[in-house]
Amino acid sequence: MSAHNIAVIGGDGIGTEVVEAGVRVLEALAETQPGLSFTFKSFDWGSDYYRANGRMMPEDGLAQIAGFDAIYFGAVGDPNLPDDITLWGLRLAICQGFDQFANVRPTRLLPGLTGPLRPELGKQIDWVIVRENSEGEYAGVGGRAHRGLPIEVGMDVAVFTRAGIERIARFACELASSRPRKLLTVVTKSNAQRHGMVLWDEVVREVIHGYPDLTVDWMLVDAMTQRMVNKPGSIDTVLATNLHADILSDLAAALGGSLGIGSTANIDPSRHRPSMFEPIHGSAFDIMGKGIANPLGSFWTASLMLEHLGEPSSARALMQAIELVTSRREHLSPDLGGAANTAQVTDAVIAALRGDNR
C-alpha cells in the first residue's frame, strides 16, 4: 500500500455532493487500512466555472491533473447550458485527452436491494459492460451547415478504426478471461450499419481467436435489451460500442435497483495518464441541494479506483461496507425506497468500515 494523489472534480449538480461524500468515505477507509493514505486536491471546474471564465476548465487543465494517480469525478451537465458545451468541455475533454479508451461499468443487485425484475431474475445480475470510450458515435466528427435555412443539416459520423477496435476487444477479452465464467457477449448492429459495425465484427472476431478459453456469443443491440431483462443469468462480460454501451449500462444500473448506484471507470490501460472514475447518474439538478442524492454510486466508483491503484484488499473492504449497509436496509436513500439522506448513508458506510454495528 502507499499514498495516492487524487484529483477531485465535483463538476455540476449533485456531483459535488456525492464526491464530497466519497472523499469522506475514502478518508475513513484509510484509517482502517494500514499503509493506505490519500492526498486530495479539488478543482472547481464545471458549469459555474464556465459562466465565470467561458470554459469548462482552464486551457491547461489536462496539464494540471496529468500528474495525479487518478481522477475522482462527480458529474457534468447544467439545464441552463447546452449539453454539448458541458460534456465536450470537461468530461469528454479529459477522457479523450488522456486516451481513456476503456470504460468499465459493473452491475450487481446488491444485498437488500430490489430491482424491477422478479427476485429470481434480479439475483442473477452480475455483469461488467466494457464500453469503447474514444470513437464510434461519440468521436466528435461531423458538423452543421446552412444554419437557419430550410436545408439546414447536421451530421455526426460514427468513427471505427482497426486500432481502436483491436485495443478495446483485447481489453474486454482479458477482463472476461479474469472472471470465473469466462463468458463474453459482443454487441453489434451490423445488420443495419453496413460499414463501421461490419468492421467492428470482423476485427473483434480476429482478436477473439487469440482467446480460445473464452465462450463468446453475439447479440444485436436491440435484442440485447430484452436478453438483459429476460435472461440476465446468461450474461457476464459485455463488449459494445460507445453509444450502445452507454445505453445498455444505464439499463443495467436501473435493473440493479437505481442509477444512483451505478459506477464507472474510464481507463487508460497503458497507465501513461491518470484514469478517471465517476458515478453514472449525472448531475440531477432536480435534487441538487436537497441532501438526498444517493452516494453509493460514488462509493462503488471509489472501489473501482482502489482496484486500479493496486489496492484490492481496500477495494473489497469498501464494497463489503456498502453491501452491509444495503443488506440492513436501514440507511437507503429515496431512490432505493428509503428515507435516509446523503449524510446518513455516508455515515452508515463509514460506521461499517470501522466495525461499528450500533
Side-chain angles (χ1 to χ4, degrees):
M1 294 185 181
S2 59
H4 302 291
N5 295 318
I6 310 298
V8 179
I9 305 173
D12 297 333
I14 65 168
T16 57
E17 301 172 30
V18 298
V19 164
E20 288 172 3
V23 168
R24 282 190 59 207
V25 164
L26 286 168
E27 289 174 336
L29 176 68
E31 296 173 1
T32 70
Q33 301 287 307
L36 179 66
S37 65
F38 300 98
T39 299
F40 297 101
K41 182 175 181 180
S42 295
F43 296 84
D44 63 346
W45 304 342
S47 295
D48 286 342
Y49 186 93
Y50 178 88
R51 277 183 273 269
N53 300 279
R55 304 176 58 92
M56 292 293 290
M57 67 178 183
E59 189 172 355
D60 66 343
L62 293 181
Q64 289 189 36
I65 59 177
F68 285 83
D69 298 319
I71 304 159
Y72 194 27
F73 188 85
V76 67
D78 187 304
N80 297 313
L81 292 174
D83 286 339
D84 61 316
I85 288 177
T86 57
L87 185 64
W88 281 95
L90 188 56
R91 183 190 177 276
L92 289 179
I94 295 172
C95 287
Q96 296 194 355
F98 285 158
D99 200 22
Q100 298 165 348
F101 70 83
N103 180 284
V104 180
R105 298 190 174 191
T107 303
R108 283 188 292 114
L109 188 63
L110 298 180
L113 300 188
T114 55
L117 298 183
R118 298 192 306 273
E120 67 272 18
L121 293 178
K123 68 181 182 182
Q124 297 175 18
I125 297 174
D126 186 359
W127 308 329
V128 177
I129 296 177
V130 176
R131 170 186 177 185
E132 199 291 315
N133 207 34
S134 65
E135 37 182 63
E137 301 81 1
Y138 298 171
V141 176
R144 292 176 63 182
H146 310 298
R147 290 175 182 254
L149 298 177
I151 59 170
E152 183 172 2
V153 60
M155 294 179 292
D156 282 291
V157 180
V159 176
F160 298 93
T161 67
R162 175 170 289 273
I165 300 167
E166 283 181 346
R167 66 183 187 176
I168 195 62
R170 191 170 297 110
F171 182 93
C173 286
E174 293 288 344
L175 180 57
S177 297
S178 72
R179 289 169 60 84
R181 297 178 67 186
K182 300 185 184 303
L183 172 63
L184 176 66
T185 299
V186 182
V187 175
T188 184
K189 192 59 180 173
S190 52
N191 63 335
Q193 295 174 270
R194 298 175 56 192
H195 305 295
M197 290 304 305
V198 172
L199 176 64
W200 168 273
D201 291 355
E202 292 173 357
V203 176
V204 172
R205 289 188 190 280
E206 292 173 8
V207 172
I208 286 171
H209 285 319
Y211 297 86
D213 292 340
L214 286 181
T215 299
V216 182
D217 59 49
W218 296 71
M219 292 293 293
L220 297 175
V221 63
D222 42 346
M224 188 64 181
T225 60
Q226 63 84 23
R227 181 175 169 186
M228 292 169 67
V229 172
N230 294 325
K231 297 182 179 179
S234 70
I235 303 166
D236 187 80
T237 306
V238 177
L239 169 62
T241 65
N242 215 335
L243 175 61
H244 294 163
D246 188 11
I247 296 168
L248 293 178
S249 57
D250 274 19
L251 172 60
L255 295 176
S258 169
L259 286 180
I261 62 172
S263 60
T264 302
N266 300 288
I267 303 293
D268 167 23
S270 74
R271 297 180 180 266
H272 293 156
R273 295 148 295 245
S275 295
M276 183 165 68
F277 302 84
E278 58 176 324
I280 73 170
H281 49 58
S283 53
F285 267 71
D286 57 323
I287 61 170
M288 180 183 67
K290 296 181 179 180
I292 60 172
N294 184 351
L296 293 182
S298 69
F299 302 162
W300 195 338
T301 292
S303 178
L304 296 180
M305 183 168 67
L306 289 164
E307 290 179 5
H308 181 74
L309 293 172
E311 306 286 359
S313 61
S314 296
R316 285 193 298 272
L318 178 50
M319 284 307 302
Q320 288 168 357
I322 294 169
E323 292 177 4
L324 181 59
V325 170
T326 60
S327 67
R328 290 175 172 171
R329 296 192 57 82
E330 297 173 5
H331 297 95
L332 296 181
S333 50
D335 59 305
L336 294 174
N341 60 35
T342 306
Q344 290 169 332
V345 177
T346 303
D347 289 343
V349 172
I350 290 173
L353 285 170
R354 293 172 175 167
D356 183 355
N357 294 318
R358 292 176 296 173

